[in-house]
């Protein structure tokens, strides 16, 4: 069975990018750039899935992480700064 998780990203007025995984227990992250956010998500998500969700390395390697714009649900009347959906492959990290 393939596991799927969603991470919501929001960019605040100061350009800080915030990530929250409602279905990934313990995922709350802030960074200053999308490049840094991507690196941190790839580093942290496997660890959180292993420790907080008890997934095996094989399950983590096959998990899909959907990255979505968190503002669309929160403020549909405002134009969000992130207008994309992406899928992040997750690899098991020791």
């Amino acid at each position: 069975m393939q596991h799927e998780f969603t991470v919501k990203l929001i960019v605040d007025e100061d350009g800080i990018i915030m990530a929250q995984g409602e279905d990934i227990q313990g995922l709350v992250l802030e960074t200053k750039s999308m490049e840094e956010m991507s690196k941190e998500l790839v580093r942290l998500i496997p660890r959180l899935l292993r420790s907080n969700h008890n997934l095996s390395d094989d399950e983590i390697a096959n998990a899909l992480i959907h990255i979505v714009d968190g503002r669309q649900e929160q403020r549909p009347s405002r134009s969000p700064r992130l207008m994309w959906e992406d899928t992040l492959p997750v690899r098991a990290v020791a």
Side-chain angles (χ1 to χ4, degrees):
M1 173 166 87
Q2 185 174 46
H3 298 275
E4 293 190 36
F5 301 92
T6 299
V7 174
K8 293 181 181 180
L9 296 184
I10 298 173
V11 180
D12 73 7
E13 292 78 23
D14 296 326
I16 301 296
I17 303 163
M18 296 171 280
Q20 184 175 26
E22 291 182 1
D23 51 358
I24 300 177
Q25 296 174 13
L27 179 61
V28 178
L29 183 62
E30 290 185 2
T31 64
K32 294 181 181 180
S33 72
M34 290 303 292
E35 182 179 340
E36 183 182 5
M37 177 61 72
S38 179
K39 287 178 183 177
E40 288 300 307
L41 288 174
V42 168
R43 184 180 72 81
L44 289 174
I45 288 175
R47 293 176 181 165
L48 291 171
L49 293 178
R50 185 178 299 112
S51 63
N52 295 347
H53 295 269
N54 299 315
L55 296 185
S56 69
D57 287 346
D58 287 337
E59 290 172 310
I60 293 168
N62 290 312
L64 285 179
I65 309 300
H66 300 283
I67 310 295
V68 299
D69 180 356
R71 283 196 179 188
Q72 287 180 340
E73 292 178 13
Q74 294 174 0
R75 295 186 183 117
S77 61
R78 291 184 65 191
S79 175
R81 292 177 64 182
L82 291 174
M83 297 294 292
W84 52 274
E85 180 173 332
D86 200 2
T87 302
L88 177 70
V90 176
R91 289 174 271 128
V93 177

